[in-house]
């Protein structure tokens, strides 16, 4: 039992972080406002979770210019995809196993 | 046990989020029913005006056997009727889908909407140009089958960005279009089945499957 629990990724303990990764798994990219609308969280809250995921190199950040405005675009990295999949597998085993 | 429920809830939340962020899921079955009803009504009005039975061999033959002065009048009426069907179908489709989105508290205009419309529009635009070319060459009897085929292709293409079931409606429209191209001359009845009956059947199935 202890083994399986350790497979759960600590980075995904937060609902917001898990949500960000879930959205980026099925979309090639997403911008800040899309993530905000989908997850229904505040700017500051979302920004801090994004930078945490960025530090882990689970997502990549790209700034684009739309006219004069900047639009920041996020995408999942390969490491992020793998971490997310492993986490889901662990969750599934937990539900099935007990 | 409680932990297990938590994990289950987490998984279903993830699933929901992935679905909601990548597909346009507010498409309402009622939209399909309304669009189909308008199409049937509109084509019945056309038949009634022309004094024409929908299963009669060819609408085009029927039009050309009428005197020239009446022909112009008939064509104007048909074009007006078609525009009326198109506009009311689009408005009703938007109305019911908007209502469904509100009920699910989903934003109706986001990236998934734009992607769905774009992917629907590409085959439709090609189909429209192709039909104009047919018109230009006077191959009128293939126009109805061509609209059905391209509409079906558009649905199959768009189904990747909305409810997956939409592709079955697409396949049926394509099949019907090919059939009516082979047995040409039954454009009117094929149209009534394709845009009327199939929409109503599809809309009803979707309504009972997802909205009840």
């Amino acid at each position: 039992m202890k083994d399986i629990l350790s497979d759960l990724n600590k980075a995904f303990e937060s609902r917001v972080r898990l949500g960000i990764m879930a959205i980026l798994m099925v979309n090639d990219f997403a911008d800040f406002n899309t993530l905000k609308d989908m997850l229904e969280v505040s700017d500051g809250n979302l920004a801090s979770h994004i930078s945490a995921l960025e530090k882990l190199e689970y997502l990549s950040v790209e700034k684009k210019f739309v006219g004069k405005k900047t639009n920041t675009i996020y995408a999942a990295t390969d490491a992020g995809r793998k971490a997310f999949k492993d986490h889901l597998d662990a969750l599934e085993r937990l539900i099935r196993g007990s | 046990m409680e932990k297990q429920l938590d994990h289950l809830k987490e998984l279903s939340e993830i699933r929901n989020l992935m679905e909601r962020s990548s597909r346009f899921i507010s498409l309402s079955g009622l939209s399909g029913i309304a669009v189909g009803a308008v199409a049937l009504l509109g084509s019945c009005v056309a038949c009634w005006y022309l004094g024409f039975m929908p299963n009669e061999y060819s609408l085009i033959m029927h039009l050309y056997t009428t005197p020239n002065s009446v022909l112009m009048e008939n064509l104007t009426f048909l074009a007006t009727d078609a525009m009326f069907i198109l506009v009311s179908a689009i408005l009703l489709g938007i109305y019911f889908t908007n209502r469904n989105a509100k009920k699910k508290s989903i934003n109706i205009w986001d990236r998934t909407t734009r992607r769905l419309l774009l992917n629907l529009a590409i085959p439709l635009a090609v189909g429209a140009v192709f039909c104009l070319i047919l018109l230009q060459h006077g191959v009128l009897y293939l126009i109805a089958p061509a609209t059905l085929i391209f509409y079906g292709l558009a649905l199959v293409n768009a189904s990747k960005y909305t409810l997956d079931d939409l592709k079955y409606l697409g396949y049926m429209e394509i099949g019907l279009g090919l059939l009516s191209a082979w047995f040409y001359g039954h454009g009117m009845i094929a149209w009534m089945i394709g845009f009327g009956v199939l929409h109503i059947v599809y809309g009803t199935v979707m309504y009972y499957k997802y909205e009840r």
Side-chain angles (χ1 to χ4, degrees):
Chain A
M1 195 63 197
K2 201 150 195 301
D3 264 329
I4 301 176
L5 274 175
S6 65
D7 287 342
L8 285 179
N9 197 328
K10 282 266 189 307
F12 295 139
E13 266 172 10
S14 134
R15 189 192 71 88
V16 180
R17 261 176 263 172
L18 195 60
I20 296 170
M21 286 313 289
I23 293 170
L24 293 180
M25 285 296 283
V26 286
N27 292 281
D28 296 338
F29 57 82
D31 61 17
F32 193 86
N33 285 331
T34 306
L35 292 176
K36 205 178 93 176
D37 290 346
M38 281 281 160
L39 298 166
E40 293 167 344
V41 286
S42 68
D43 282 24
N45 194 354
L46 180 59
S48 75
H49 284 302
I50 286 176
S51 67
L53 287 171
E54 195 189 351
K55 260 188 210 126
L56 288 164
E57 294 183 343
Y58 283 178
L59 58 76
S60 65
V61 182
E62 195 186 332
K63 280 199 163 59
K64 278 188 180 164
F65 283 90
V66 183
K68 278 179 187 166
K69 270 171 127 185
T70 54
N71 191 18
T72 316
I73 280 174
Y74 305 96
T77 60
D78 289 343
R81 284 176 187 278
K82 190 179 175 305
F84 183 81
K85 272 197 189 115
D86 290 346
H87 181 77
L88 280 201
D89 287 345
L91 269 182
E92 219 179 333
R93 275 199 303 273
L94 263 179
I95 292 164
R96 285 228 188 97
S98 41
Chain B
M1 193 62 200
E2 212 156 88
K3 255 256 153 13
Q4 210 175 338
L5 276 181
D6 272 358
H7 293 318
L8 261 179
K9 210 176 130 227
E10 202 173 332
L11 269 182
S12 77
E13 249 173 55
I14 294 169
R15 222 185 100 110
N16 179 283
L17 206 53
M18 288 168 112
E19 185 104 295
R20 207 152 43 89
S21 70
S22 64
R23 282 169 184 262
F24 182 79
I25 52 171
S26 324
L27 207 59
S28 170
L30 294 178
S31 295
I33 298 175
V35 168
V38 169
L40 272 185
L41 200 74
S43 36
C44 285
V45 168
C47 291
W48 166 80
Y49 180 82
L50 298 172
F52 172 82
M53 292 304 286
N55 58 354
E56 215 165 293
Y57 184 62
S58 171
L59 173 64
I60 291 127
M61 284 312 292
H62 185 88
L63 282 177
Y64 280 121
T65 49
T66 52
N68 248 347
S69 57
V70 186
L71 178 68
M72 231 19 242
E73 214 173 280
N74 281 351
L75 285 181
T76 317
F77 179 82
L78 281 180
T80 317
D81 188 34
M83 278 314 290
F84 183 76
I85 296 173
L86 185 69
V87 171
S88 42
I90 291 175
L91 288 181
L92 281 170
I94 292 175
Y95 170 76
F96 284 112
T97 295
N98 193 23
R99 216 179 64 156
N100 194 23
K102 277 215 181 101
K103 211 162 65 186
K104 292 183 179 173
S105 55
I106 298 174
N107 193 356
I108 192 172
W109 188 251
D110 62 9
R111 212 161 68 86
T112 62
T113 324
R114 290 192 287 274
R115 206 164 47 174
L116 172 67
L117 289 179
L118 178 72
N119 282 283
L120 201 58
I122 295 169
L124 281 186
V126 176
V129 172
F130 184 72
C131 286
L132 287 177
I133 295 172
L134 287 179
L135 192 66
Q136 174 70 23
H137 290 318
V139 198
L140 302 183
Y141 57 92
L142 283 183
I143 290 181
T147 55
L148 285 168
I149 292 169
F150 280 99
Y151 180 58
L153 288 173
L155 292 182
V156 172
N157 197 37
S159 70
K160 282 171 255 158
Y161 305 100
T162 180
L163 299 174
D164 199 44
D165 311 79
L166 193 65
K167 68 175 180 228
Y168 299 113
L169 179 61
Y171 293 148
M172 285 194 283
E173 302 281 3
I174 295 171
L176 186 67
L178 288 176
L179 262 177
S180 67
W182 183 261
F183 303 103
Y184 67 87
H186 302 284
M188 195 64 178
I189 191 88
W191 250 351
M192 289 172 90
I193 296 171
F195 291 111
V197 178
L198 286 184
H199 273 140
I200 294 176
V201 171
Y202 170 81
T204 312
V205 172
M206 287 303 100
Y207 183 71
Y208 280 101
K209 190 169 170 190
Y210 293 110
E211 291 163 61
R212 282 294 297 258

Coordinates of all heavy atoms in Angstrom, one line a residue, chain B residues 21 29 32 36 43 45 53 77 79 95 136 144 156 195:
Chain B
S21 N -12.4 21.3 -22.0 CA -11.4 22.2 -22.5 C -11.1 21.9 -24.0 O -10.5 22.7 -24.7 CB -10.2 22.3 -21.7 OG -9.4 21.1 -21.8
G29 N -29.4 18.7 -28.6 CA -30.3 17.9 -29.4 C -31.5 18.6 -29.9 O -31.9 18.4 -31.1
G32 N -31.0 20.3 -33.2 CA -31.1 19.4 -34.3 C -32.6 19.2 -34.7 O -33.0 19.3 -35.9
G36 N -34.2 20.5 -38.2 CA -34.9 19.6 -39.1 C -36.4 20.0 -39.4 O -36.8 19.9 -40.5
S43 N -39.3 23.1 -47.1 CA -39.4 22.3 -48.4 C -40.9 22.0 -48.7 O -41.3 22.0 -49.9 CB -38.6 21.1 -48.4 OG -38.5 20.5 -47.1
V45 N -43.4 24.0 -48.0 CA -43.8 25.3 -48.5 C -43.5 25.4 -50.0 O -44.3 25.8 -50.9 CB -43.3 26.5 -47.7 CG1 -43.5 27.8 -48.5 CG2 -43.9 26.5 -46.3
M53 N -45.1 17.5 -56.2 CA -45.0 16.5 -55.2 C -43.5 16.2 -55.0 O -42.8 16.1 -56.0 CB -45.7 15.2 -55.6 CG -47.2 15.3 -55.7 SD -47.9 15.9 -54.1 CE -47.7 14.4 -53.2
F77 N -39.0 32.9 -55.6 CA -39.7 32.4 -54.4 C -38.8 31.3 -53.7 O -38.6 31.3 -52.5 CB -41.0 31.8 -54.8 CG -41.7 31.2 -53.6 CD1 -42.4 32.0 -52.8 CD2 -41.6 29.8 -53.3 CE1 -43.1 31.5 -51.6 CE2 -42.3 29.3 -52.2 CZ -43.0 30.1 -51.4
A79 N -35.6 30.9 -53.8 CA -34.4 31.5 -53.2 C -34.8 32.2 -51.9 O -34.1 32.0 -50.9 CB -33.7 32.6 -54.1
Y95 N -30.0 29.4 -30.6 CA -30.8 29.6 -29.4 C -30.8 28.4 -28.4 O -30.5 28.5 -27.2 CB -32.3 29.9 -29.8 CG -33.2 29.9 -28.6 CD1 -33.3 30.9 -27.8 CD2 -34.1 28.8 -28.4 CE1 -34.1 30.9 -26.7 CE2 -34.9 28.7 -27.3 CZ -35.0 29.8 -26.5 OH -35.8 29.8 -25.4
Q136 N -22.9 26.7 -62.7 CA -22.3 27.4 -63.9 C -22.3 26.4 -65.1 O -22.6 26.8 -66.2 CB -20.8 27.8 -63.5 CG -20.0 28.3 -64.7 CD -20.5 29.7 -65.1 OE1 -21.2 30.4 -64.3 NE2 -20.3 30.1 -66.3
A144 N -28.2 19.0 -55.4 CA -28.8 18.5 -54.1 C -27.9 17.4 -53.5 O -27.5 17.4 -52.3 CB -30.2 18.0 -54.3
V156 N -18.6 15.1 -40.2 CA -17.6 14.1 -39.8 C -16.3 14.8 -39.3 O -15.7 14.5 -38.3 CB -17.2 13.1 -41.0 CG1 -16.0 12.2 -40.6 CG2 -18.4 12.3 -41.3
F195 N -31.9 16.8 -44.6 CA -31.8 18.0 -43.7 C -33.0 18.0 -42.8 O -33.0 18.7 -41.7 CB -31.8 19.3 -44.6 CG -30.5 19.4 -45.3 CD1 -30.4 19.3 -46.7 CD2 -29.3 19.7 -44.6 CE1 -29.2 19.4 -47.3 CE2 -28.1 19.9 -45.2 CZ -28.1 19.7 -46.6

